[in-house]
Amino acid sequence: QVQLVESGGGLVQAGGSLRLSCAASGRTFNNCAVGWFRQAPGKEREFVAGIIWNTGTTYYADSVKGRFTISRDNAKNTVYLLMNSLKPEDTAVYYCAADRGRWYIPTRRRDYEYWGQGTQVTVSS
C-alpha cells in the first residue's frame, strides 16, 4: 500500500529555517488530507499543520502559525513544510501522515491511516 517518506530534517540554530518533504509512493495524495505531526521526548505526538490536497486548504497549530508553511506540489506528489524562525522548542521528530477521503483536516493522530518513519529536527540555542 501507500508509503510515506519524510526528508529534510537536521540540526539548525535558533532563528534558522528548514524545509521538510513528504513524498508518497503506491498512490497519489489525491482525495487525501495530509498532515505534519511532531513528537518530542516524553511528549505525545502533536498536530503541526495540515492540507487538503485537492483544494489546498490549510490549517496550523497555534504554536507554529505565522512561522511554518505547508504546501504541495502536484507534479512531484510531495507535501512540504517550510519552517522559519525555528525555536529550540520546535525540536522533535517530525512525521508526515495521510488519510483518504477527507475534505477537512483532522488533528488527531488516530484519524490518519498512513504514516512515515519521521525525520529529526534539532534546533540549538
Side-chain angles (χ1 to χ4, degrees):
Q1 287 295 321
V2 62
Q3 301 287 329
L4 305 180
V5 179
E6 304 98 334
S7 62
L11 175 64
V12 64
Q13 293 190 37
S17 298
L18 285 172
R19 190 179 74 163
L20 307 183
S21 299
C22 174
S25 62
R27 61 167 289 157
T28 71
F29 282 125
N30 192 42
N31 302 319
C32 283
V34 185
W36 286 97
F37 288 73
R38 66 187 182 187
Q39 189 164 19
K43 299 290 186 179
E44 292 189 10
R45 194 169 298 186
E46 65 174 352
F47 175 82
V48 175
I51 187 168
I52 302 297
W53 183 265
N54 292 38
T55 66
T57 302
T58 60
Y59 183 72
Y60 299 90
D62 288 342
S63 59
V64 306
K65 197 172 300 180
R67 298 188 297 124
F68 292 11
T69 303
I70 187 171
S71 62
R72 72 200 195 283
D73 187 326
N74 290 353
K76 297 180 179 179
N77 198 38
T78 298
V79 171
Y80 302 99
L81 184 69
L82 176 61
M83 304 183 294
N84 293 324
S85 302
L86 282 163
K87 306 174 181 179
E89 50 263 47
D90 294 318
T91 296
V93 177
Y94 283 71
Y95 298 89
C96 178
D99 201 59
R100 297 171 296 174
R102 298 286 190 182
W103 300 101
Y104 67 99
I105 300 171
T107 59
R108 301 182 303 180
R109 178 178 181 175
R110 63 181 178 177
D111 286 331
Y112 287 87
E113 182 177 1
Y114 304 104
W115 290 86
Q117 294 298 306
T119 184
Q120 176 70 48
V121 173
T122 302
V123 184
S124 64
S125 59

